[in-house]
Amino acid sequence: MTRVYAVSDIHGHLEKLTAALHAAGLTDADGNWTAGEDTRLWFLGDFFDRGPDGIGVLRYVRGLIDQAPEGAIRMLLGNHEILALGMYKFGDTFVPHDGITLRSFERSWALNGGQDRDQELLTDDDVAWLLDQPLLGLDADQLLMHSDTAEYVEWGDTIDQINSTAAAELHSDDIEVWWEIWRRTTSRYAFRGPSGPDVARILLQHLGGRRIVHGHSIVADQLGIDPQFLTGPHLYADGLALGIDGGAFDGGPCLVVELTAE
């Protein structure tokens, strides 16, 4: 049986990531991929910002992908990849807006924990690789996404359509289009509250899977505890959503969660 794992929201904490992958039995003590061909690992986005070494996380993951069997390691784009790429492409260029508040990727990047080192070391090759990564995945009967939002369906009615439409937009140079991608992927909490299970159920009916797995929103905040006391993911919305953001940048763990279908 194939074993499927997911990890999200590393936010520059490379040491936490490498320790968590080793503890899960996916890598050796030196951080090299050791899992067999019957193992898959999904990164659900947010390599960058808030922590010290986002570029190091990116380079490490790309190295792991080279070591592992083809298709064993996969990545989804998070809102902080969109933000980092938007900063790289557009910097302080003003985003047209009807309101008074000035909007730019640089301003949002700075407000959301952007790190100068990540931008300085990001290469055109890194950018090209990131732009080819999808927003959504389906594995082990789980619908995988970065953000706990239903906004993904604004790009289409199927996973393939959503990924292809978003990819086309990401390969454009239209700052307003990019800003809308950033806005959509930053929204959250769609599966919480009284209506949350219904939203999750409808999304699963449209896109497939028996459960949504996401990062983006720190589990400890939802549970009302300090991130340092968090020990695992949080299943909620009548069992239809699993949050796996351990809050690594806020003192919490980097959670590597096994998702293998029951």
Side-chain angles (χ1 to χ4, degrees), residues 69-195:
E70 185 176 357
I73 302 176
R74 305 174 188 183
M75 181 200 173
L76 302 179
L77 292 172
N79 64 306
H80 281 268
E81 276 71 53
I82 305 304
L83 182 58
L85 291 168
M87 171 63 180
Y88 185 84
K89 284 176 65 70
F90 302 109
D92 63 357
T93 301
F94 172 67
V95 181
H97 183 53
D98 293 335
I100 298 174
T101 304
L102 297 180
R103 303 189 304 185
S104 70
F105 276 98
E106 182 183 55
R107 183 172 185 271
S108 288
W109 173 81
L111 289 171
N112 286 277
Q115 302 294 305
D116 289 335
R117 182 174 182 273
D118 290 343
Q119 289 291 318
E120 290 165 1
L121 297 180
L122 193 64
T123 67
D124 288 343
D125 182 68
D126 292 324
V127 171
W129 183 81
L130 285 166
L131 288 174
D132 284 337
Q133 304 311 307
L135 292 182
L136 298 179
L138 186 67
D139 203 348
D141 206 21
Q142 323 266 328
L143 177 60
L144 305 165
M145 58 182 63
H146 172 70
S147 305
D148 46 329
T149 180
E151 293 268 352
Y152 291 108
V153 297
E154 296 299 320
W155 282 293
D157 299 323
T158 67
I159 290 175
D160 287 345
Q161 190 177 74
I162 289 166
N163 286 336
S164 63
T165 302
E169 292 184 357
L170 285 168
H171 281 83
S172 81
D173 293 320
D174 188 327
I175 193 171
E176 292 184 80
V177 169
W178 268 79
W179 190 264
E180 180 64 7
I181 299 171
W182 159 243
R183 185 199 65 77
R184 289 178 183 173
T185 57
T186 304
S187 62
R188 64 176 83 233
Y189 302 153
F191 316 125
R192 297 191 190 183
S195 64

Side-chain angles (χ1 to χ4, degrees), residues 7-59:
V7 59
S8 189
D9 296 87
I10 301 148
H11 284 297
H13 286 273
L14 180 57
E15 291 185 2
K16 285 188 177 183
L17 172 63
T18 55
L21 292 176
H22 181 52
L26 302 179
T27 59
D28 62 21
D30 295 321
N32 298 304
W33 183 256
T34 56
E37 293 186 0
D38 60 347
T39 301
R40 279 193 296 276
L41 171 64
W42 288 81
F43 287 90
L44 304 190
D46 279 12
F47 290 169
F48 297 106
D49 306 334
R50 303 194 190 283
D53 195 12
I55 198 70
V57 173
L58 172 63
R59 300 280 166 75

